[in-house]
Amino acid sequence: MPMQGSFQDGLEAMIAETASSSLSTESLEILTNVRFAVFGLGSRAYPNFCSFAHIVKRLLKSLGGEEIHETGEGDELCGQESSFNEWAAGAFKAACDSFGIYDVDMKAAISSIASSAKDWKKGLFKLSKTPVGNESIPEALSKLHRKKVVPAKCISVQNLQSSQSDRVTNLVKIDRCGHDEIMYKAGDHLSVYPTNEKVLVDALLDRVICDVGYDDCVTMEIKEVDKWVQSNKIPFVTTLRQMITSYLDITSPPSPKLLAVFSEEATNEEEKNELELLSTDNDKYEDWSHANYPNIVEVLEKFKSVACDVTMLINHLPLLNPRHYSISSSQDLHPSEVHVTVALVSYEIKGNTHNGVCSYYLSNLKPNDVVYCNIRKASSFYLPTDRSSPVIMIGPGTGIAPFRSFWQQALFEHTENKDSVKRDMTLYFGCRNSKHDDIYAKETTELVNQKILSSVRTAYSREENLPKTYVQQILHQDMEKVGETILDKQGHVYVCGDVTMASDVSKMITKILQEYAALSDEEAKQFISELRTSKRYHEDIFG
Ligand code: 2AM
């Protein structure tokens, strides 16, 4: 999204301040006068694509550093891996030139830098059976993700949409089981470590070549010169079934690098050539992976002649990452629980059903099932500490999720001390239809009656006999109140939901400020930029 100078500057100042304040004096000293190159990761669907990388670059330059290779950008929506490979090759060459290193095998070195996986060759990796018992799942997840993961328990899963709706949104209640790692504040995220669908796991196990049993305790080893050592990829004892169920991502489309290995291992010439083309032609790869979003099982089903050694797969598959959900409960109100609101993702591509890994996993949980989780802290998406600051919450669809934690928190505050200042909280919600997906209508009506919520304004986009309405139109209808809250009462604005909605809402608030206070377009944008910098305009956005 093109950014206005003023807004960009405000944002940069904020991120730069965070970056430098997070670095200790010693680390700043270490980073003085270094030769460096930066590569940023991000998604072009979001504003401020790769901003952080450019800010780090400027910070290092301001500390006297010399940038030896142009900053690279990797867009997760398109060609991230190939952008990185190209950048890494250039950065490595620049580093060799800069440090006067001439006697290196440039091609081999670049190929090993530009790949997260070690090159797989027959005989270089093996799975060894071991009498040692398996690592426990939370310990294993903690090692893989370098953050303590703990076992919680499912209390209930309740579909909030009507039974006639063709979509599912679940309220999932989880027992924290007393773990400190699941202590949270309203606004934080719950990170859930899901498992892959059993049908996919079984299909993959049936397809791979391996000489150990699926349920044998094994370690993955790699040959280094003349001895076998444990591979870093899965650095503990586990079973093949467990690896594929809990630790490896088997649903994202295979990377070009893995397709290149498949091409080498295909015995059918046509398949070999097609795989080679996909692995080397970035445009073809992007078209193919966007059109089909094929998982590894579908790819191996299509390319039947590929001899798929299981160690090759383990080496190349990415880790199964946790999914982060805005928390929908207040820990003060429910000390032993944490709730999330999750839309079930399920769609068909060319006759194949694809389910979202974690939404499907959560949807199928039964009471008492173990769920591995921890907390991801919000950067500033918290209720104002000053309870007299009015709050505007904007969250269509599952964007409403964190606001349930806010109103529960307000309810707790009021129950705890009836004389304390009551917050002024207005909710702007959007859904298709009052009958099917007005998911928290009953709860919020009750809270309005109790005067915990000042008002709830709902935009119905597909209501019978009513024009299509989005939250931003209702915000415009409420211009006086919105303008007054933001400009005159030092209020806070919270927006949660998808990136397009968040951008449309931000434009509408700019327009409202212009009309309410007779500001120019530039002045209104500048004002929003200041709101963000002063942490009065908060966004929790997902793709
Ligand atoms: P729609 O599906 O009818 O287009 C929750 O998803 C609600 O947000 C739905 O009512 C959806 O409407 C609506 N929505 C979709 N795009 C939006 C946007 N850009 N801004 C605001 N609301 C949007």
Side-chain angles (χ1 to χ4, degrees), residues 144 220 230-236 238 243 247-248 314 319:
L144 289 176
M220 166 112 146
Q230 192 164 53
S231 146
N232 293 331
K233 183 69 185 271
I234 302 284
F236 43 78
T238 184
M243 270 186 228
Y247 308 140
L248 296 171
I314 299 168
L319 292 180

Side-chain angles (χ1 to χ4, degrees), residues 396-397 430-432 461-462 468 470-472 500-501 504:
C431 63
R432 290 185 179 175
S461 62
R462 306 188 197 187
K468 188 176 185 80
Y470 280 174
V471 273
Q472 51 274 35
T500 316
M501 178 279 302
D504 291 348

Side-chain angles (χ1 to χ4, degrees), residues 150-156 172-179 182 335-339 368-371 373:
V150 290
K153 239 181 216 173
C154 170
I155 299 170
S156 62
V172 184
K173 295 188 178 173
I174 290 170
D175 183 341
R176 293 176 42 245
C177 297
H179 289 295
I182 319 181
S336 62
E337 299 180 9
V338 55
H339 304 172
N368 291 322
D369 280 354
V370 175
V371 190
C373 5

Side-chain angles (χ1 to χ4, degrees), residues 14 55 73 177 184 192 207 267 337 357 367 430 438 452 485 509:
M14 193 173 82
I55 288 162
E73 293 180 340
C177 297
Y184 61 94
V192 178
R207 176 64 175 81
T267 50
E337 299 180 9
V357 177
D438 198 348
I452 299 298
T485 304
I509 297 209

